[in-house]
Each structure stands twice: as structure tokens, then as C-alpha cells.
Amino acid sequence: MGRMEVDQGMEVLSRDECLHLLSTVPVARIGLSLRALPVVLPVNFVVDQEKDQVIIRTAAGSKLDAALLHSVVAFEADHIDPLSHGGWSVLVQGTSRVLLLPGEIERARSLKLRPWADDASRDRFVAISMDVVSGRRVGLL
């Protein structure tokens, strides 16, 4: 399914186009609940299309704690061009989980996801299922 025009020049993007756009940016945000309050955190990531999931690499802490609980999370990436007033946004909604099986961890390592912070403690991988993928584009980007 291709793009579909909606009002005021906004386009609804196909799932394939959303996944392509996600592959063009290095950082996104994960939204989750932490101690019953919403929190949004920046993460670097990779899309594992074969397994239909987003993978983030992290250390033990808030993102990991939420993932251990199989939390429903929102994952969002975007690109904005302030000169043309154009841009796009992709939202993934799904359940997070820590990868624990040796085969899953090996696969995640093969995706070449490197933490931006040079910290050896960032050796845990979290997968987010891509249950709902949606996106939209504004302007001529």
C-alpha cells in the first residue's frame, strides 16, 4: 500500500516506507511508564526486519527494568527540516522484552548496534515488537 494524502498536505506512510525511514536515523525515543509516570528516553537502535522488532542496547536501569516487565512501549523517530517546514515521524508500538537466549543475543550482536556511550556495561539488548507501525510526512521532504 502506498502513501495516502490526508488534509493539509500530510501523508500517511506505508509500513514499508516507515521501516525504510527508521533505517535512516541513528537515534529515536522510547516512551514508557516508570514508577507510574510517563518517561521518554533517547536511544540508539537498529531495526531487525527479519524478526519484526526494534533492538536497543542498554545497561541495567530504567529502560531495562521496564523491559523486564514486558511493558507496552512507544518508540518514535523523526526528521525535521526547519527551512522547508517539512518532515516525517514514525511511531512503533509494541511490547518490550530483554533478550536472554544465547541465540537471540548472538543475533542482536550481529546487527552491529553499538552504544554511543563508550561503556562496557551496555551489554544488554532489549527487543520491541513492532505490533503497530504508523508514520506521516509533512511537506516536500
Side-chain angles (χ1 to χ4, degrees):
M1 181 171 160
R3 288 180 244 156
M4 178 174 46
E5 282 289 325
V6 295
D7 33 20
Q8 300 182 18
M10 192 174 303
E11 297 173 281
V12 174
L13 304 175
S14 70
R15 180 183 174 96
D16 286 343
E17 190 159 9
C18 288
L19 296 180
H20 167 72
L21 289 170
L22 281 178
S23 72
T24 67
V25 293
V27 175
R29 286 156 296 286
I30 185 171
L32 50 93
S33 179
L34 183 61
R35 293 184 291 278
L37 295 172
V39 64
V40 177
L41 302 165
V43 293
N44 64 316
F45 69 98
V46 66
V47 175
D48 182 355
Q49 287 194 39
E50 184 178 314
K51 297 290 186 179
D52 202 35
Q53 60 190 4
V54 172
I55 304 290
I56 63 173
R57 187 171 181 171
T58 188
S62 60
K63 294 176 291 234
L64 184 60
D65 293 341
L68 285 168
L69 298 173
H70 296 277
S71 298
V72 174
V73 300
F75 178 85
E76 190 272 343
D78 55 50
H79 174 75
I80 306 223
D81 182 345
L83 295 177
S84 71
H85 293 247
W88 59 264
S89 175
V90 171
L91 176 65
V92 173
Q93 295 164 298
T95 304
S96 61
R97 66 185 183 89
V98 175
L99 300 183
L100 298 173
L101 298 175
E104 290 179 321
I105 295 168
E106 185 178 322
R107 176 171 177 73
R109 287 188 196 286
S110 77
L111 297 173
K112 308 230 185 279
L113 176 59
R114 302 291 176 252
W116 280 26
D118 189 22
D119 185 350
S121 69
R122 297 185 185 281
D123 62 350
R124 303 289 297 269
F125 293 93
V126 174
I128 301 166
S129 61
M130 295 193 293
D131 299 336
V132 178
V133 178
S134 59
R136 59 189 178 162
R137 177 180 290 138
V138 178
L140 300 175
L141 254 178

